[in-house]
Amino acid sequence: MEKGKGAYYTRRDFRPTGLHKLILRAVKEIVASKQGGATKQEIERWLGERGRKISGNSLSGRLSELLGAGYLEVQYTEVRLYDEASKKYRFKKTPIWFLTDKGLQLLMREHSF
């Protein structure tokens, strides 16, 4: 198993649930609205605004499953943060999410999305 490749168990015989499809829709709409990847916090906020509360850990798990199954891809962007304690800048890698062609095809097949 390689870190950053998603949940290994979803690489075969994975059927996305309604929540998985809602997450894919969130990523699609966020990416379209800002012309960039969707952060986990943006996805969580999008879901919450539509009445679907989900914990950060649960969302991380679902994102990992969708990544492992090939419906999402992830890229990492460096964010520069100012550390007050050291009075220096440090960098944090933030994952940003995008739909793959497979994820887009799934959404297109779903009439409710």
Side-chain angles (χ1 to χ4, degrees), residues 5-16 20 24 62-73 100 102-103 106:
K5 298 294 183 187
Y8 71 91
Y9 56 86
T10 61
R11 290 191 174 91
R12 57 186 181 287
D13 299 329
F14 175 71
R15 295 184 193 270
H20 288 108
L24 291 174
R62 303 305 70 78
L63 289 168
S64 180
E65 289 168 347
L66 290 165
L67 176 63
Y71 292 101
L72 289 177
E73 65 182 13
T100 62
K102 183 178 179 180
L106 176 67

PDB file of all heavy atoms in Angstrom, residues 5-16 20 24 62-73 100 102-103 106:
ATOM      1  N   LYS A   5      -2.606   7.185  -2.044  1.00  0.00           N
ATOM      2  CA  LYS A   5      -3.290   6.556  -3.179  1.00  0.00           C
ATOM      3  C   LYS A   5      -4.737   6.199  -2.872  1.00  0.00           C
ATOM      4  O   LYS A   5      -5.418   5.630  -3.696  1.00  0.00           O
ATOM      5  CB  LYS A   5      -2.541   5.288  -3.624  1.00  0.00           C
ATOM      6  CG  LYS A   5      -1.143   5.563  -4.103  1.00  0.00           C
ATOM      7  CD  LYS A   5      -1.153   6.373  -5.374  1.00  0.00           C
ATOM      8  CE  LYS A   5       0.264   6.575  -5.871  1.00  0.00           C
ATOM      9  NZ  LYS A   5       0.346   7.471  -6.989  1.00  0.00           N
ATOM     10  N   GLY A   6      -5.200   6.516  -1.662  1.00  0.00           N
ATOM     11  CA  GLY A   6      -6.583   6.244  -1.299  1.00  0.00           C
ATOM     12  C   GLY A   6      -6.761   4.885  -0.667  1.00  0.00           C
ATOM     13  O   GLY A   6      -5.818   4.103  -0.538  1.00  0.00           O
ATOM     14  N   ALA A   7      -7.990   4.625  -0.261  1.00  0.00           N
ATOM     15  CA  ALA A   7      -8.328   3.365   0.405  1.00  0.00           C
ATOM     16  C   ALA A   7      -8.135   2.198  -0.557  1.00  0.00           C
ATOM     17  O   ALA A   7      -8.784   2.129  -1.593  1.00  0.00           O
ATOM     18  CB  ALA A   7      -9.762   3.420   0.915  1.00  0.00           C
ATOM     19  N   TYR A   8      -7.232   1.303  -0.213  1.00  0.00           N
ATOM     20  CA  TYR A   8      -6.887   0.192  -1.106  1.00  0.00           C
ATOM     21  C   TYR A   8      -8.072  -0.726  -1.392  1.00  0.00           C
ATOM     22  O   TYR A   8      -8.195  -1.282  -2.468  1.00  0.00           O
ATOM     23  CB  TYR A   8      -5.718  -0.608  -0.528  1.00  0.00           C
ATOM     24  CG  TYR A   8      -6.089  -1.419   0.685  1.00  0.00           C
ATOM     25  CD1 TYR A   8      -6.532  -2.733   0.570  1.00  0.00           C
ATOM     26  CD2 TYR A   8      -6.034  -0.869   1.955  1.00  0.00           C
ATOM     27  CE1 TYR A   8      -6.895  -3.466   1.680  1.00  0.00           C
ATOM     28  CE2 TYR A   8      -6.397  -1.588   3.070  1.00  0.00           C
ATOM     29  CZ  TYR A   8      -6.822  -2.882   2.930  1.00  0.00           C
ATOM     30  OH  TYR A   8      -7.192  -3.614   4.037  1.00  0.00           O
ATOM     31  N   TYR A   9      -8.987  -0.865  -0.426  1.00  0.00           N
ATOM     32  CA  TYR A   9     -10.094  -1.806  -0.577  1.00  0.00           C
ATOM     33  C   TYR A   9     -11.142  -1.332  -1.584  1.00  0.00           C
ATOM     34  O   TYR A   9     -12.019  -2.094  -1.967  1.00  0.00           O
ATOM     35  CB  TYR A   9     -10.753  -2.107   0.771  1.00  0.00           C
ATOM     36  CG  TYR A   9     -11.252  -0.875   1.506  1.00  0.00           C
ATOM     37  CD1 TYR A   9     -12.513  -0.349   1.267  1.00  0.00           C
ATOM     38  CD2 TYR A   9     -10.443  -0.242   2.445  1.00  0.00           C
ATOM     39  CE1 TYR A   9     -12.955   0.780   1.936  1.00  0.00           C
ATOM     40  CE2 TYR A   9     -10.880   0.876   3.124  1.00  0.00           C
ATOM     41  CZ  TYR A   9     -12.140   1.390   2.860  1.00  0.00           C
ATOM     42  OH  TYR A   9     -12.581   2.504   3.521  1.00  0.00           O
ATOM     43  N   THR A  10     -11.076  -0.085  -2.023  1.00  0.00           N
ATOM     44  CA  THR A  10     -12.061   0.392  -3.000  1.00  0.00           C
ATOM     45  C   THR A  10     -11.598   0.205  -4.435  1.00  0.00           C
ATOM     46  O   THR A  10     -12.306   0.566  -5.361  1.00  0.00           O
ATOM     47  CB  THR A  10     -12.394   1.883  -2.774  1.00  0.00           C
ATOM     48  OG1 THR A  10     -11.209   2.667  -2.940  1.00  0.00           O
ATOM     49  CG2 THR A  10     -12.998   2.108  -1.405  1.00  0.00           C
ATOM     50  N   ARG A  11     -10.438  -0.372  -4.624  1.00  0.00           N
ATOM     51  CA  ARG A  11      -9.924  -0.538  -5.986  1.00  0.00           C
ATOM     52  C   ARG A  11     -10.678  -1.613  -6.771  1.00  0.00           C
ATOM     53  O   ARG A  11     -10.544  -1.709  -7.977  1.00  0.00           O
ATOM     54  CB  ARG A  11      -8.430  -0.825  -5.948  1.00  0.00           C
ATOM     55  CG  ARG A  11      -7.660   0.410  -5.514  1.00  0.00           C
ATOM     56  CD  ARG A  11      -6.169   0.280  -5.716  1.00  0.00           C
ATOM     57  NE  ARG A  11      -5.551   1.552  -5.397  1.00  0.00           N
ATOM     58  CZ  ARG A  11      -5.090   1.893  -4.201  1.00  0.00           C
ATOM     59  NH1 ARG A  11      -5.191   1.047  -3.194  1.00  0.00           N
ATOM     60  NH2 ARG A  11      -4.552   3.068  -3.994  1.00  0.00           N
ATOM     61  N   ARG A  12     -11.475  -2.404  -6.065  1.00  0.00           N
ATOM     62  CA  ARG A  12     -12.275  -3.425  -6.759  1.00  0.00           C
ATOM     63  C   ARG A  12     -13.653  -3.528  -6.096  1.00  0.00           C
ATOM     64  O   ARG A  12     -13.787  -3.382  -4.895  1.00  0.00           O
ATOM     65  CB  ARG A  12     -11.569  -4.775  -6.747  1.00  0.00           C
ATOM     66  CG  ARG A  12     -11.239  -5.282  -5.366  1.00  0.00           C
ATOM     67  CD  ARG A  12     -10.403  -6.566  -5.438  1.00  0.00           C
ATOM     68  NE  ARG A  12     -10.103  -7.089  -4.136  1.00  0.00           N
ATOM     69  CZ  ARG A  12      -9.243  -6.571  -3.280  1.00  0.00           C
ATOM     70  NH1 ARG A  12      -8.581  -5.493  -3.584  1.00  0.00           N
ATOM     71  NH2 ARG A  12      -9.042  -7.126  -2.099  1.00  0.00           N
ATOM     72  N   ASP A  13     -14.643  -3.728  -6.920  1.00  0.00           N
ATOM     73  CA  ASP A  13     -16.022  -3.943  -6.453  1.00  0.00           C
ATOM     74  C   ASP A  13     -16.518  -2.861  -5.493  1.00  0.00           C
ATOM     75  O   ASP A  13     -17.121  -3.162  -4.469  1.00  0.00           O
ATOM     76  CB  ASP A  13     -16.172  -5.319  -5.788  1.00  0.00           C
ATOM     77  CG  ASP A  13     -15.858  -6.451  -6.738  1.00  0.00           C
ATOM     78  OD1 ASP A  13     -16.110  -6.283  -7.952  1.00  0.00           O
ATOM     79  OD2 ASP A  13     -15.355  -7.491  -6.288  1.00  0.00           O
ATOM     80  N   PHE A  14     -16.275  -1.619  -5.811  1.00  0.00           N
ATOM     81  CA  PHE A  14     -16.726  -0.512  -4.969  1.00  0.00           C
ATOM     82  C   PHE A  14     -17.953   0.117  -5.604  1.00  0.00           C
ATOM     83  O   PHE A  14     -17.948   0.453  -6.784  1.00  0.00           O
ATOM     84  CB  PHE A  14     -15.611   0.533  -4.833  1.00  0.00           C
ATOM     85  CG  PHE A  14     -16.034   1.772  -4.084  1.00  0.00           C
ATOM     86  CD1 PHE A  14     -16.257   1.742  -2.718  1.00  0.00           C
ATOM     87  CD2 PHE A  14     -16.210   2.962  -4.751  1.00  0.00           C
ATOM     88  CE1 PHE A  14     -16.637   2.877  -2.025  1.00  0.00           C
ATOM     89  CE2 PHE A  14     -16.587   4.114  -4.075  1.00  0.00           C
ATOM     90  CZ  PHE A  14     -16.799   4.065  -2.705  1.00  0.00           C
ATOM     91  N   ARG A  15     -19.007   0.252  -4.821  1.00  0.00           N
ATOM     92  CA  ARG A  15     -20.228   0.910  -5.284  1.00  0.00           C
ATOM     93  C   ARG A  15     -20.442   2.170  -4.451  1.00  0.00           C
ATOM     94  O   ARG A  15     -20.722   2.072  -3.254  1.00  0.00           O
ATOM     95  CB  ARG A  15     -21.422  -0.020  -5.152  1.00  0.00           C
ATOM     96  CG  ARG A  15     -21.334  -1.234  -6.048  1.00  0.00           C
ATOM     97  CD  ARG A  15     -22.601  -2.060  -5.936  1.00  0.00           C
ATOM     98  NE  ARG A  15     -22.421  -3.350  -6.537  1.00  0.00           N
ATOM     99  CZ  ARG A  15     -22.669  -3.612  -7.815  1.00  0.00           C
ATOM    100  NH1 ARG A  15     -23.104  -2.675  -8.609  1.00  0.00           N
ATOM    101  NH2 ARG A  15     -22.489  -4.824  -8.289  1.00  0.00           N
ATOM    102  N   PRO A  16     -20.324   3.335  -5.071  1.00  0.00           N
ATOM    103  CA  PRO A  16     -20.492   4.583  -4.322  1.00  0.00           C
ATOM    104  C   PRO A  16     -21.905   4.707  -3.742  1.00  0.00           C
ATOM    105  O   PRO A  16     -22.889   4.379  -4.399  1.00  0.00           O
ATOM    106  CB  PRO A  16     -20.252   5.669  -5.369  1.00  0.00           C
ATOM    107  CG  PRO A  16     -19.530   4.995  -6.477  1.00  0.00           C
ATOM    108  CD  PRO A  16     -19.975   3.570  -6.463  1.00  0.00           C
ATOM    109  N   HIS A  20     -21.261   9.357  -1.108  1.00  0.00           N
ATOM    110  CA  HIS A  20     -20.130   9.454  -2.036  1.00  0.00           C
ATOM    111  C   HIS A  20     -20.509  10.313  -3.253  1.00  0.00           C
ATOM    112  O   HIS A  20     -19.744  11.179  -3.678  1.00  0.00           O
ATOM    113  CB  HIS A  20     -19.707   8.066  -2.527  1.00  0.00           C
ATOM    114  CG  HIS A  20     -19.020   7.241  -1.502  1.00  0.00           C
ATOM    115  ND1 HIS A  20     -19.635   6.164  -0.912  1.00  0.00           N
ATOM    116  CD2 HIS A  20     -17.787   7.322  -0.950  1.00  0.00           C
ATOM    117  CE1 HIS A  20     -18.793   5.610  -0.052  1.00  0.00           C
ATOM    118  NE2 HIS A  20     -17.665   6.298  -0.053  1.00  0.00           N
ATOM    119  N   LEU A  24     -18.994  13.910  -4.609  1.00  0.00           N
ATOM    120  CA  LEU A  24     -18.549  14.144  -5.992  1.00  0.00           C
ATOM    121  C   LEU A  24     -19.227  15.383  -6.572  1.00  0.00           C
ATOM    122  O   LEU A  24     -18.581  16.198  -7.244  1.00  0.00           O
ATOM    123  CB  LEU A  24     -18.849  12.924  -6.870  1.00  0.00           C
ATOM    124  CG  LEU A  24     -18.040  11.667  -6.589  1.00  0.00           C
ATOM    125  CD1 LEU A  24     -18.544  10.510  -7.437  1.00  0.00           C
ATOM    126  CD2 LEU A  24     -16.549  11.905  -6.808  1.00  0.00           C
ATOM    127  N   ARG A  62     -14.299   9.099   3.342  1.00  0.00           N
ATOM    128  CA  ARG A  62     -15.029   9.011   2.075  1.00  0.00           C
ATOM    129  C   ARG A  62     -14.172   9.527   0.906  1.00  0.00           C
ATOM    130  O   ARG A  62     -14.188   8.969  -0.184  1.00  0.00           O
ATOM    131  CB  ARG A  62     -16.333   9.798   2.121  1.00  0.00           C
ATOM    132  CG  ARG A  62     -17.349   9.452   3.221  1.00  0.00           C
ATOM    133  CD  ARG A  62     -17.812   8.005   3.342  1.00  0.00           C
ATOM    134  NE  ARG A  62     -16.840   7.065   3.815  1.00  0.00           N
ATOM    135  CZ  ARG A  62     -16.451   6.885   5.098  1.00  0.00           C
ATOM    136  NH1 ARG A  62     -16.939   7.616   6.064  1.00  0.00           N
ATOM    137  NH2 ARG A  62     -15.564   5.962   5.411  1.00  0.00           N
ATOM    138  N   LEU A  63     -13.406  10.604   1.143  1.00  0.00           N
ATOM    139  CA  LEU A  63     -12.510  11.118   0.104  1.00  0.00           C
ATOM    140  C   LEU A  63     -11.458  10.073  -0.256  1.00  0.00           C
ATOM    141  O   LEU A  63     -11.147   9.861  -1.429  1.00  0.00           O
ATOM    142  CB  LEU A  63     -11.847  12.420   0.558  1.00  0.00           C
ATOM    143  CG  LEU A  63     -12.754  13.640   0.629  1.00  0.00           C
ATOM    144  CD1 LEU A  63     -12.061  14.780   1.366  1.00  0.00           C
ATOM    145  CD2 LEU A  63     -13.218  14.084  -0.746  1.00  0.00           C
ATOM    146  N   SER A  64     -10.931   9.387   0.751  1.00  0.00           N
ATOM    147  CA  SER A  64      -9.946   8.340   0.525  1.00  0.00           C
ATOM    148  C   SER A  64     -10.541   7.193  -0.291  1.00  0.00           C
ATOM    149  O   SER A  64      -9.893   6.654  -1.196  1.00  0.00           O
ATOM    150  CB  SER A  64      -9.412   7.822   1.863  1.00  0.00           C
ATOM    151  OG  SER A  64      -8.459   6.802   1.658  1.00  0.00           O
ATOM    152  N   GLU A  65     -11.778   6.820   0.016  1.00  0.00           N
ATOM    153  CA  GLU A  65     -12.443   5.756  -0.750  1.00  0.00           C
ATOM    154  C   GLU A  65     -12.627   6.170  -2.204  1.00  0.00           C
ATOM    155  O   GLU A  65     -12.368   5.385  -3.121  1.00  0.00           O
ATOM    156  CB  GLU A  65     -13.795   5.425  -0.117  1.00  0.00           C
ATOM    157  CG  GLU A  65     -13.660   4.713   1.212  1.00  0.00           C
ATOM    158  CD  GLU A  65     -14.955   4.616   1.995  1.00  0.00           C
ATOM    159  OE1 GLU A  65     -15.950   5.302   1.658  1.00  0.00           O
ATOM    160  OE2 GLU A  65     -14.980   3.847   2.971  1.00  0.00           O
ATOM    161  N   LEU A  66     -13.069   7.401  -2.421  1.00  0.00           N
ATOM    162  CA  LEU A  66     -13.277   7.885  -3.789  1.00  0.00           C
ATOM    163  C   LEU A  66     -11.958   8.009  -4.544  1.00  0.00           C
ATOM    164  O   LEU A  66     -11.900   7.731  -5.751  1.00  0.00           O
ATOM    165  CB  LEU A  66     -14.024   9.222  -3.769  1.00  0.00           C
ATOM    166  CG  LEU A  66     -15.486   9.130  -3.337  1.00  0.00           C
ATOM    167  CD1 LEU A  66     -16.037  10.507  -2.991  1.00  0.00           C
ATOM    168  CD2 LEU A  66     -16.328   8.464  -4.427  1.00  0.00           C
ATOM    169  N   LEU A  67     -10.902   8.365  -3.856  1.00  0.00           N
ATOM    170  CA  LEU A  67      -9.578   8.424  -4.464  1.00  0.00           C
ATOM    171  C   LEU A  67      -9.120   7.021  -4.859  1.00  0.00           C
ATOM    172  O   LEU A  67      -8.680   6.796  -5.992  1.00  0.00           O
ATOM    173  CB  LEU A  67      -8.580   9.066  -3.496  1.00  0.00           C
ATOM    174  CG  LEU A  67      -7.120   9.124  -3.935  1.00  0.00           C
ATOM    175  CD1 LEU A  67      -6.955   9.990  -5.178  1.00  0.00           C
ATOM    176  CD2 LEU A  67      -6.247   9.647  -2.791  1.00  0.00           C
ATOM    177  N   GLY A  68      -9.232   6.088  -3.934  1.00  0.00           N
ATOM    178  CA  GLY A  68      -8.816   4.708  -4.200  1.00  0.00           C
ATOM    179  C   GLY A  68      -9.586   4.064  -5.337  1.00  0.00           C
ATOM    180  O   GLY A  68      -9.048   3.270  -6.113  1.00  0.00           O
ATOM    181  N   ALA A  69     -10.868   4.416  -5.472  1.00  0.00           N
ATOM    182  CA  ALA A  69     -11.716   3.851  -6.522  1.00  0.00           C
ATOM    183  C   ALA A  69     -11.544   4.570  -7.861  1.00  0.00           C
ATOM    184  O   ALA A  69     -12.105   4.147  -8.870  1.00  0.00           O
ATOM    185  CB  ALA A  69     -13.181   3.899  -6.086  1.00  0.00           C
ATOM    186  N   GLY A  70     -10.808   5.677  -7.856  1.00  0.00           N
ATOM    187  CA  GLY A  70     -10.539   6.376  -9.113  1.00  0.00           C
ATOM    188  C   GLY A  70     -11.545   7.441  -9.501  1.00  0.00           C
ATOM    189  O   GLY A  70     -11.510   7.945 -10.621  1.00  0.00           O
ATOM    190  N   TYR A  71     -12.441   7.824  -8.587  1.00  0.00           N
ATOM    191  CA  TYR A  71     -13.439   8.849  -8.887  1.00  0.00           C
ATOM    192  C   TYR A  71     -12.910  10.270  -8.635  1.00  0.00           C
ATOM    193  O   TYR A  71     -13.450  11.230  -9.169  1.00  0.00           O
ATOM    194  CB  TYR A  71     -14.702   8.637  -8.056  1.00  0.00           C
ATOM    195  CG  TYR A  71     -15.453   7.389  -8.432  1.00  0.00           C
ATOM    196  CD1 TYR A  71     -15.363   6.228  -7.672  1.00  0.00           C
ATOM    197  CD2 TYR A  71     -16.267   7.363  -9.564  1.00  0.00           C
ATOM    198  CE1 TYR A  71     -16.053   5.080  -8.016  1.00  0.00           C
ATOM    199  CE2 TYR A  71     -16.963   6.216  -9.922  1.00  0.00           C
ATOM    200  CZ  TYR A  71     -16.843   5.078  -9.142  1.00  0.00           C
ATOM    201  OH  TYR A  71     -17.523   3.948  -9.493  1.00  0.00           O
ATOM    202  N   LEU A  72     -11.896  10.373  -7.785  1.00  0.00           N
ATOM    203  CA  LEU A  72     -11.283  11.656  -7.469  1.00  0.00           C
ATOM    204  C   LEU A  72      -9.778  11.552  -7.645  1.00  0.00           C
ATOM    205  O   LEU A  72      -9.210  10.458  -7.571  1.00  0.00           O
ATOM    206  CB  LEU A  72     -11.554  12.069  -6.012  1.00  0.00           C
ATOM    207  CG  LEU A  72     -12.942  12.497  -5.624  1.00  0.00           C
ATOM    208  CD1 LEU A  72     -13.002  12.799  -4.128  1.00  0.00           C
ATOM    209  CD2 LEU A  72     -13.398  13.707  -6.418  1.00  0.00           C
ATOM    210  N   GLU A  73      -9.155  12.697  -7.844  1.00  0.00           N
ATOM    211  CA  GLU A  73      -7.706  12.776  -7.773  1.00  0.00           C
ATOM    212  C   GLU A  73      -7.363  13.900  -6.814  1.00  0.00           C
ATOM    213  O   GLU A  73      -8.188  14.788  -6.569  1.00  0.00           O
ATOM    214  CB  GLU A  73      -7.083  13.017  -9.153  1.00  0.00           C
ATOM    215  CG  GLU A  73      -7.426  14.336  -9.779  1.00  0.00           C
ATOM    216  CD  GLU A  73      -6.828  14.506 -11.175  1.00  0.00           C
ATOM    217  OE1 GLU A  73      -6.349  13.525 -11.760  1.00  0.00           O
ATOM    218  OE2 GLU A  73      -6.849  15.634 -11.666  1.00  0.00           O
ATOM    219  N   THR A 100     -12.150  12.982 -11.475  1.00  0.00           N
ATOM    220  CA  THR A 100     -11.530  12.322 -12.618  1.00  0.00           C
ATOM    221  C   THR A 100     -12.620  12.145 -13.680  1.00  0.00           C
ATOM    222  O   THR A 100     -13.804  12.405 -13.427  1.00  0.00           O
ATOM    223  CB  THR A 100     -10.977  10.941 -12.228  1.00  0.00           C
ATOM    224  OG1 THR A 100     -12.082  10.123 -11.787  1.00  0.00           O
ATOM    225  CG2 THR A 100      -9.919  11.036 -11.143  1.00  0.00           C
ATOM    226  N   LYS A 102     -13.743   9.373 -14.613  1.00  0.00           N
ATOM    227  CA  LYS A 102     -14.613   8.330 -14.052  1.00  0.00           C
ATOM    228  C   LYS A 102     -15.645   8.944 -13.107  1.00  0.00           C
ATOM    229  O   LYS A 102     -16.821   8.580 -13.137  1.00  0.00           O
ATOM    230  CB  LYS A 102     -13.764   7.292 -13.322  1.00  0.00           C
ATOM    231  CG  LYS A 102     -14.543   6.131 -12.757  1.00  0.00           C
ATOM    232  CD  LYS A 102     -13.606   5.128 -12.106  1.00  0.00           C
ATOM    233  CE  LYS A 102     -14.364   3.962 -11.504  1.00  0.00           C
ATOM    234  NZ  LYS A 102     -13.449   2.975 -10.874  1.00  0.00           N
ATOM    235  N   GLY A 103     -15.227   9.896 -12.276  1.00  0.00           N
ATOM    236  CA  GLY A 103     -16.148  10.567 -11.361  1.00  0.00           C
ATOM    237  C   GLY A 103     -17.173  11.398 -12.096  1.00  0.00           C
ATOM    238  O   GLY A 103     -18.367  11.403 -11.757  1.00  0.00           O
ATOM    239  N   LEU A 106     -19.790   9.141 -13.666  1.00  0.00           N
ATOM    240  CA  LEU A 106     -20.763   8.658 -12.675  1.00  0.00           C
ATOM    241  C   LEU A 106     -21.831   9.718 -12.423  1.00  0.00           C
ATOM    242  O   LEU A 106     -23.023   9.406 -12.404  1.00  0.00           O
ATOM    243  CB  LEU A 106     -20.062   8.293 -11.359  1.00  0.00           C
ATOM    244  CG  LEU A 106     -20.995   7.873 -10.222  1.00  0.00           C
ATOM    245  CD1 LEU A 106     -21.677   6.546 -10.548  1.00  0.00           C
ATOM    246  CD2 LEU A 106     -20.236   7.773  -8.915  1.00  0.00           C
TER     247      LEU A 106
END
